[in-house]
Amino acid sequence: MAGMEIARTIAATRAAVATARRAGRTIGCVPTMGALHAGHLSLVEAARRDGTFVVVTIFVNPTQFGPHEDYARYPRDEAGDLRQCERAGANLVFLPSVEEMYPPGTVTTVHVARLTATLCGPCRPGHFDGVATVVTKLLNIVQPDRAYFGRKDYQQLAVIRQMVRDLNTPVEIIGCPTVREPDGLAMSSRNAYLTPDERQRALALSRALIAAREAIVGGERDPAAVEATMRAVVEAARPTGIDYVSVVDPVTLQPIERIAGPVLAALAVWFGRTRLIDNVVVDPIGDGP
Ligand code: PAF
C-alpha cells in the first residue's frame, strides 16, 4: 500500500485526488485545524470504514477567528499531526499556507443565515462566515464524495449541511459522535489551554448536559427550567463566563416554548481564557445519549 502523501498546494492536492479517482476510489474528506486528538481520528476512522481515499485537511483558518480570539495561540503541531494521520491510515494530507488559501485580492465569503442567529453565532460575529467560506473552498479543492464532521460542533455541522444543500454541493455530509475523555470532557484542541484546576472545573459542561437529560427524561417540559438546572451545575464550577446555556429546536436551533420532541441542549462556557462548548440531543422518551 502506498504511503501517505502530503500536499501543500491546491494543484498537488487535486492531482493526488485525481489519481485516486482514476484508480476507482471514492474520496472522503476530514477537514481539521490540526492539533489532532481522538475526536479527529474517529472521523478518519469513519472515512476509512466507508472505504474512501481519506484526505485530511489541516489549516488553522484565520477568517473564522474574531480579532480578540485565539488565532495566534491556537495549538499547532504539524509533525505530531502528520504522525497521527499516518497511523490512522489517512491517504493524503493537505496542509496549505494562508497565502495558498487566501491569495491577495480574495473578496468572496459564504454566509449562512438563520442557523447562525443563535447559540455561538451572536457570541462570535463572523465565525460561521469564516467556517462556511473555508469549508466551501476545501470541498471545491478536494471534491470529496463524503466529508466528515464531529457533532461536538453541532451548530457548525448544521450550518455546513444547510450550506451544501443551498449551494448544491455534490457531497454527502457525515456527522460523527462526540468523543469524550473517560471523565466526560468532550475532546477539543482547546482543552490543551486548560490548567489542571480549570480542566477539573470544565467537567461542569458534560455534567450540566447529563442533568439536562435527566430532567427532560424525568418529565420536565419547560425549556427554561432545564436551562436553570444546567446553569446551576455550571455556576457551581465557578466559570469565568457563560456565553449561553440553551435548550433549542435541534433542526432550526431556535428557542422553543415547550419540550414536545427531541431537543438540543447546548452550552458555551469560559474557564480562564478558554471557551468550551458541548451539546447533547435529548429525546424526552429517553432513548440513549
Ligand atoms: O471544526 C473545525 O476544525 C473547523 O471549524 C473546520 C471545519 C476545519 C473549518 O476550519
Side-chain angles (χ1 to χ4, degrees), residues 99 123 169 248 274:
E99 296 69 35
C123 309
T169 310
V248 297
T274 307

Coordinates of all heavy atoms in Angstrom, one line a residue, residues 99 123 169 248 274:
E99 N -1.5 32.0 2.5 CA -1.5 32.6 1.1 C -2.1 31.7 0.1 O -2.7 32.2 -0.9 CB 0.0 32.9 0.7 CG 0.7 33.9 1.6 CD 0.9 33.4 3.1 OE1 1.2 32.2 3.2 OE2 0.8 34.2 4.0
C123 N -22.3 35.3 19.7 CA -21.1 35.4 20.6 C -19.9 35.6 19.8 O -18.9 36.1 20.2 CB -21.0 34.2 21.5 SG -22.4 33.7 22.4
T169 N -23.9 21.6 -3.5 CA -22.5 21.0 -3.5 C -22.7 19.5 -3.5 O -23.3 18.9 -2.6 CB -21.7 21.4 -2.2 OG1 -21.9 22.9 -2.1 CG2 -20.3 21.1 -2.3
V248 N -32.8 24.2 22.7 CA -33.4 24.8 21.4 C -33.9 23.6 20.5 O -33.6 22.4 20.8 CB -32.4 25.6 20.7 CG1 -31.9 26.8 21.5 CG2 -31.2 24.8 20.3
T274 N -10.2 30.2 28.2 CA -10.6 29.2 27.3 C -12.1 29.1 27.2 O -12.8 28.9 28.3 CB -10.0 27.8 27.8 OG1 -8.6 28.0 27.9 CG2 -10.3 26.7 26.8

